[in-house]
Amino acid sequence: MPDLEPTPKKKRKIGRKVLLGLLVIAGIAACFPGVRQTVQGVYDLYQKGVFTHAEKKDYSGTNTQNLLALHTALMLVHDSDGQFPEGKTWMDDVRPRLKTYITGESGFKKLIRPDLLPEKEGVFGYALNDSCAGKYKDDIKDPDNTPLVFVSSDTSKNAHGDPKKLLPNPQMEGGNLGISVSGKILKL
């Protein structure tokens, strides 16, 4: 079973060239009042952390965002393998292709329904439609209306099956959503 823990990122250090540049700007700022105010404004923003990368930000994805990311990853698998992955391994197959732009996090959070976070071991909440598993996309008769991945009541890893049988409670926030083979968000 692949390791699902994110790899911590190292803090960045200010390079010597950056420090030298800041000293030159400070020298110029000391001579000219208008520049001094601008530099002071930039320094104030720096103090507030605007220019630094946080080690870790809170993840705030939605089911729609996660489904779109999963669709992209599944299409990358499809393009490289010539078919969608099998249901029993689909999360393992898409995980390397998932990317997230949240500092300090990894794409594996896209595999977890937002209402199930913070993550618990073995809890995910998305399923692959068995009618698409192992198939070539052009062999699917109605790609605009056939769910590829959907929000599922089965929260196990690599969940797969019939969307009609695995839909969660309709009152659940963001529940009963899926994404079609062609990439359209569906209300199931």
Side-chain angles (χ1 to χ4, degrees), residues 88-149:
K88 63 184 177 183
T89 62
W90 78 272
M91 284 187 173
D92 299 320
D93 294 338
V94 301
R95 187 171 178 269
R97 291 168 173 93
L98 285 171
K99 290 185 179 181
T100 187
Y101 302 101
I102 301 171
T103 305
E105 299 294 326
S106 63
F108 85 97
K109 288 210 177 200
K110 295 292 185 183
L111 295 167
I112 303 169
R113 260 187 7 225
D115 64 304
L116 298 176
L117 290 169
E119 63 273 17
K120 298 171 189 158
E121 179 124 5
V123 177
F124 295 90
Y126 295 107
L128 182 72
N129 186 350
D130 276 344
S131 70
C132 299
K135 298 229 170 88
Y136 181 66
K137 65 182 176 185
D138 290 343
D139 292 339
I140 297 168
K141 294 181 183 178
D142 188 4
D144 289 339
N145 296 309
T146 302
L148 178 60
V149 178

Side-chain angles (χ1 to χ4, degrees), residues 34 41 45 47 53 55 59 82 86 91 100 125 155 157 160:
L45 291 173
Q47 289 295 98
H53 294 284
E55 179 104 4
Y59 179 75
E86 294 295 331
M91 284 187 173
T100 187
T155 60
K157 184 176 180 187
H160 60 94

Side-chain angles (χ1 to χ4, degrees), residues 121-187:
E121 179 124 5
V123 177
F124 295 90
Y126 295 107
L128 182 72
N129 186 350
D130 276 344
S131 70
C132 299
K135 298 229 170 88
Y136 181 66
K137 65 182 176 185
D138 290 343
D139 292 339
I140 297 168
K141 294 181 183 178
D142 188 4
D144 289 339
N145 296 309
T146 302
L148 178 60
V149 178
F150 55 94
V151 174
S152 172
S153 59
D154 181 351
T155 60
S156 64
K157 184 176 180 187
N158 293 314
H160 60 94
D162 182 350
K164 293 177 183 169
K165 295 179 181 174
L166 294 177
L167 287 177
N169 180 342
Q171 282 75 36
M172 184 188 89
E173 183 180 335
N176 296 0
L177 290 180
I179 191 160
S180 72
V181 173
S182 64
K184 295 180 182 178
I185 295 295
L186 303 171
K187 183 77 172 158

Side-chain angles (χ1 to χ4, degrees), residues 70-85 93-94 97 132 134-138 148 181-182:
L70 290 171
H71 180 268
T72 299
L74 281 161
M75 295 312 289
L76 290 170
V77 170
H78 181 279
D79 291 346
S80 66
D81 296 351
Q83 65 186 28
F84 291 118
D93 294 338
V94 301
R97 291 168 173 93
C132 299
K135 298 229 170 88
Y136 181 66
K137 65 182 176 185
D138 290 343
L148 178 60
V181 173
S182 64

